[in-house]
Amino acid sequence: MDEALDAGVQRLDLFFMVGLKMQTYESVMETVEYSRRMLKKMADRGDNRLIPFISPLAPFLDPGSRAFEEPEKHGYNLFARTLRRTSSGFTGAFLEICAKL
């Protein structure tokens, strides 16, 4: 990151996904803390070009994909088969993490 910023990039976006099969609440919070440390480091330098994004990976399985059609076989639990049901289904660990940010 430092090399890219030192080379003069105008903006550096960092994307982190939550909802991966092996993640825990603690590992997600470590990602949040890492992002905070990086933002502070950049702010201390007077630099605001670093932009971290943390967003969910699951439960967004593409309809028609093997994981969507056979979720258990691929290690997923499918809770909704439509966009409306998916958007209304944000509960549990995902909301717990969001509430604590």
Side-chain angles (χ1 to χ4, degrees):
M1 289 186 301
D2 288 333
E3 290 179 15
L5 293 166
D6 291 344
V9 298
Q10 294 180 3
R11 178 175 157 167
L12 183 58
D13 295 337
L14 296 178
F15 293 90
F16 300 97
M17 289 184 263
V18 297
L20 299 169
K21 185 177 178 180
M22 301 305 288
Q23 283 181 322
T24 63
Y25 173 81
E26 290 77 20
S27 68
V28 171
M29 295 312 296
E30 288 172 9
T31 302
V32 172
E33 287 305 314
Y34 174 77
S35 296
R36 286 184 179 145
R37 285 193 311 273
M38 292 299 101
L39 286 171
K40 182 178 181 339
K41 176 183 173 182
M42 300 309 294
D44 289 349
R45 292 176 23 176
D47 195 335
N48 65 352
R49 295 177 292 160
L50 182 67
I51 312 290
F53 295 90
I54 301 174
S55 60
L57 170 67
F60 302 109
L61 300 175
D62 292 329
S65 70
R66 290 179 181 167
F68 186 85
E69 298 303 326
E70 300 175 296
E72 294 82 13
K73 182 177 178 182
H74 298 279
Y76 294 101
N77 294 318
L78 188 61
F79 298 107
R81 290 199 165 268
T82 66
L83 182 58
R84 181 174 298 231
R85 290 292 310 261
T86 298
S87 65
S88 67
F90 288 130
T91 61
F94 177 71
L95 289 182
E96 179 185 348
I97 290 167
C98 292
K100 293 182 179 184
L101 296 180

